Structures are given as structure tokens and as C-alpha cells.
Amino acid sequence: MSPRGRNILWALIGAGVVARLAVAYSTYGQPYDMESLHLVRDALLDDPLHVYERVNLDVESGLVRWPYAPGYFAWLAVADVLPGVFHGTVQLLPIAADALIALVVADFLGRRGASERTRLAAAGLIALGPSFAVVSGYHGHFDSVAILPVVVALWAWEGGVRPERRALVAGALIGVGAAVKTVPALMLAALLPKARGLREAGWLAVPAVAIPALALAPFFRTDPGAVRDALGYHGAPGVGGVSLLTQPNLAEGWIGGQAVAPNAATDFFLESGGLVSASVGAGLLAFLLWTRPPAVQGAVVVWLALYVFAPGFFLQYAVWGMPFFLMAGYLGRALALQVVLLPPTVMIYSDSVDGSAAVALYVACMLAVWLGFAIWLSLLAARCVRYHRRAHSSTHPEEWREMAL
């Protein structure tokens, strides 16, 4: 990257960081999740090994304050002693994670021969993109902290470290991400099919599984039931995803605050969310082991499949897949996704938006997002199958080309 390009890159990232900091310290954030961070911090100070029992008082009714692995606990303790109000300081790590994701994505694209303009545009979509900024700068969630290690894992796997070290480094990074939130473990499905034999697959998988398991061990030993209940939570239906497709009026509960009775499909998602997630993960791994697409395209398949088949889609979930869409070169689709998600984002985070017109707009935008994911996944899966067939029908299979769908 030219000196001018580097200056622009740092300016983009700096502007994003400054804007996030201003919002983080001038607003409280999303009340439920910010209150959850306060409750977990207090429980950790009082009785750390019983934190899952202390904060998740009503799992059956969906009142789960901490359905995550314990990897973020250390930052909550650090943020508590740093100067400044806790609701602002606790967001410093997610803000930094956004900046690092932008840098890694720009470097990854550069290693693959992307132009300087493309690299800057990709970094800008992260540094200034509303789907990223609202989560790290306002909401108080930490999805970027969980996703950063697996973004670096793909960077390492695709040439960022020496080939003989890539499996161990990538596996450890996936494990670190999964120790913060369990969903980054899905990246194993993208990388395992490209492992060069069982030995490399083992070096990749073992640390990815062992690190979150070791992080959970002391809490599970102290209170196994509370940990199982917490990690068994799989989100709430109706914000987006297939659950909104099967019962669109669930949006009235999120936008207008109305009580909405669940239909049979919603009841199924509430009762069988774990089974759905396990089935999606197993199906993904089987498909990618069969077709063996390039790792970066496999990562796109992973996140698209999650978005299409998982029951719910909270707005912060966009942070999971967006870096990988950009790393694969799908800048236009990443931009379009953030544009379509902007009206629902405003509605979800604004207390003054309600009424049937707002609900209709919200449902239209979120179903358009789901339909777009479904079409994209179908076309990309077909491309993976064609890639597999060519690879087995010729000694010189056609090189993978980015699709312009």
C-alpha cells in the first residue's frame, strides 16, 4: 500500500474509533445488555465460580443474562478498575477489535492481490460501517471481540504464518474466539476440509476445542447445571432469520413492545434451538468436507448457512460474517447488507419508533436480508459443487473465480 493509502487507512480507522468513543461515553447503551454486563461484573467480584447461577435466574422463561463462554470475564474485571464510567470503558475492547479487524481484512486482501482502492473500501466498511459501529460503540455487545481471533485465524491459514505453523496458530485462535462466544468454533468447518492430512487436522481441531473447554472447566465443575442451562440458550425468535419468516408478527414485540403469542413454528425453535444449531453445524461440515472449496469461500458458506438456517438473527450477528464477506471480495454485498439493515437498526435502538408502518418496514427489510442470504447461499453452494466436480474430473481444474452474482 502506498504511503498515501496508509494515511487514508489510518484516517478511516481513527475516525471510526473516535466516533465510537464519543458515543460509548455519552450514552448508556442497550439497557438490557449493558445491565447484564454490570450484573456479571458484580457477580464475578462477589463469587466468580457461581457467576452462571447468579446472573441467569430464569432460564426457562428466556431471561438469560450470560449465555456465553467465560472468555470475556477477564476484560470485565479490567474495565471495572480502569478510569471512566464502566458503560463506556467496557466498550474499549470491542472498539479496538473493530479497528484490528479492519486492518487484518485490508492486509488479507492485499496479500491476495486486491487493489489499494479495494483494500481501503473494505476497511472503511468496517471502520465506518453502521452495523459494526452501533454494536461496539453503543450496544455494549462484544461480537467483534469474539470474531477478531477467527478473522486472524483465516489470515494465518491463508499465508499469514509459515505453512508448518498455520494449523496450530489458526486452531488456537479459533479456540480463543470460542472461549468468548461459542459461535466462532464454526470456522473449523471452513478450515478442516483444507487440512493437509489428519495430522494437520488434529493440530487445528484440538486447540480449537481444548481452549474453550479449559476456560469453562472451573465453572462447570462448580455448577454444571447452571453452565449447561446458560450455554443451551440459542437466542430469541422474531428479530430476524427464519423465525421471522415463519411468524412475521413477532416483530411487533421487538418494535412496538406488544405481547405476541408464539405459533407452532416459533415453539419449535424455542424448544429445539440446540438441535437446529447442531444439525446446521454437522451439515455444514459434511458439505464442505465433500466439496472442499477454498478456505475463504468456505468461511462465506459457513456464515451464510448460519444466517439462513439459525432460528434468529439479532442485528449484532452481522458482525460475524461481514469480515469474511469482505475477505472473499464481496464488497458490494457487504455494503448492500449494511444499507438494508440500517432502517431495522434505527428502529431497534430507538424507543420512539412504533406503529404498523414501522413494523411493516422492519419485517420487509429483515426478510429481504434473509432472502438475500438464502439466494446467495444457494448460488455459492452450487459453485462449490461445480468446483468439486472439476477438481475430480481433470488434473488441471479450473481456478476458483470470485462470483459476480
Side-chain angles (χ1 to χ4, degrees), residues 336-372:
L337 175 59
Q338 294 200 60
V339 170
V340 178
L341 285 176
L342 189 55
T345 299
V346 172
M347 286 184 257
I348 284 290
Y349 292 112
S350 174
D351 295 331
S352 60
V353 177
D354 56 19
S356 58
V359 171
L361 176 60
Y362 180 89
V363 171
C365 289
M366 296 304 289
L367 291 185
V369 167
W370 182 88
L371 181 61

Side-chain angles (χ1 to χ4, degrees), residues 19 47 79 146 148 162 170 198 201 239 247 290 354 358 362 375:
D47 189 1
L148 171 62
R162 293 208 301 264
L198 291 177
V239 184
Q247 189 177 357
W290 173 52
D354 56 19
Y362 180 89
I375 294 172

Side-chain angles (χ1 to χ4, degrees), residues 63-385:
L63 187 60
V64 183
R65 292 287 187 172
W66 197 263
Y68 314 115
Y72 204 60
F73 289 166
W75 171 245
L76 294 181
V78 171
D80 186 53
V81 300
L82 290 176
V85 291
F86 179 76
H87 69 78
T89 303
V90 77
Q91 297 186 82
L92 293 178
L93 188 59
I95 290 170
D98 274 0
L100 291 172
I101 290 172
L103 288 171
V104 174
V105 168
D107 183 76
F108 182 89
L109 288 171
R111 290 170 180 269
R112 291 168 65 87
S115 68
E116 184 175 282
R117 180 177 297 180
T118 297
R119 298 169 67 185
L120 292 173
L125 286 170
I126 297 168
L128 304 179
S131 290
F132 288 90
V134 74
V135 176
S136 60
Y138 173 75
H139 187 134
H141 238 295
F142 47 96
D143 295 84
S144 57
V145 177
I147 274 305
L148 171 62
V150 291
V151 172
V152 181
L154 181 58
W155 171 88
W157 184 266
E158 291 290 273
V161 300
R162 293 208 301 264
E164 64 271 18
R165 294 183 178 178
R166 69 172 192 170
L168 182 59
V169 172
L173 287 164
I174 292 172
V176 170
V180 177
K181 283 194 171 186
T182 53
V183 72
L186 284 173
M187 272 298 291
L188 278 174
L191 300 187
L192 276 174
K194 306 306 290 184
R196 295 176 295 224
L198 291 177
R199 181 182 177 86
E200 188 174 54
W203 282 113
L204 174 67
V206 169
V209 174
I211 290 173
L214 289 172
L216 276 165
F219 302 94
F220 187 83
R221 182 178 180 181
T222 302
D223 202 342
V227 173
R228 277 196 300 265
D229 288 343
L231 298 184
Y233 173 78
H234 295 282
V239 184
V242 70
S243 63
L244 186 62
L245 178 69
T246 56
Q247 189 177 357
N249 70 326
L250 285 174
E252 296 174 4
W254 296 101
I255 302 299
Q258 302 180 30
V260 180
N263 64 16
T266 300
D267 282 333
F268 170 78
F269 293 136
L270 288 169
E271 295 170 4
S272 305
L275 177 61
V276 172
S277 298
S279 300
V280 170
L284 265 175
L285 181 58
F287 177 77
L288 293 173
L289 283 171
W290 173 52
T291 57
R292 299 181 184 273
V296 66
Q297 296 291 342
V300 175
V301 171
V302 164
W303 300 110
L304 288 177
L306 180 68
Y307 292 158
V308 171
F309 295 110
F313 179 86
F314 281 100
L315 294 172
Q316 60 265 29
Y317 293 0
V319 173
W320 301 348
M322 200 93 65
F324 303 97
F325 300 164
L326 295 169
M327 294 168 88
Y330 298 116
L331 275 68
R333 268 156 275 187
L335 173 61
L337 175 59
Q338 294 200 60
V339 170
V340 178
L341 285 176
L342 189 55
T345 299
V346 172
M347 286 184 257
I348 284 290
Y349 292 112
S350 174
D351 295 331
S352 60
V353 177
D354 56 19
S356 58
V359 171
L361 176 60
Y362 180 89
V363 171
C365 289
M366 296 304 289
L367 291 185
V369 167
W370 182 88
L371 181 61
F373 286 147
I375 294 172
W376 186 3
L377 177 62
S378 299
L379 294 171
L380 187 55
R383 179 67 166 171
C384 290
V385 172

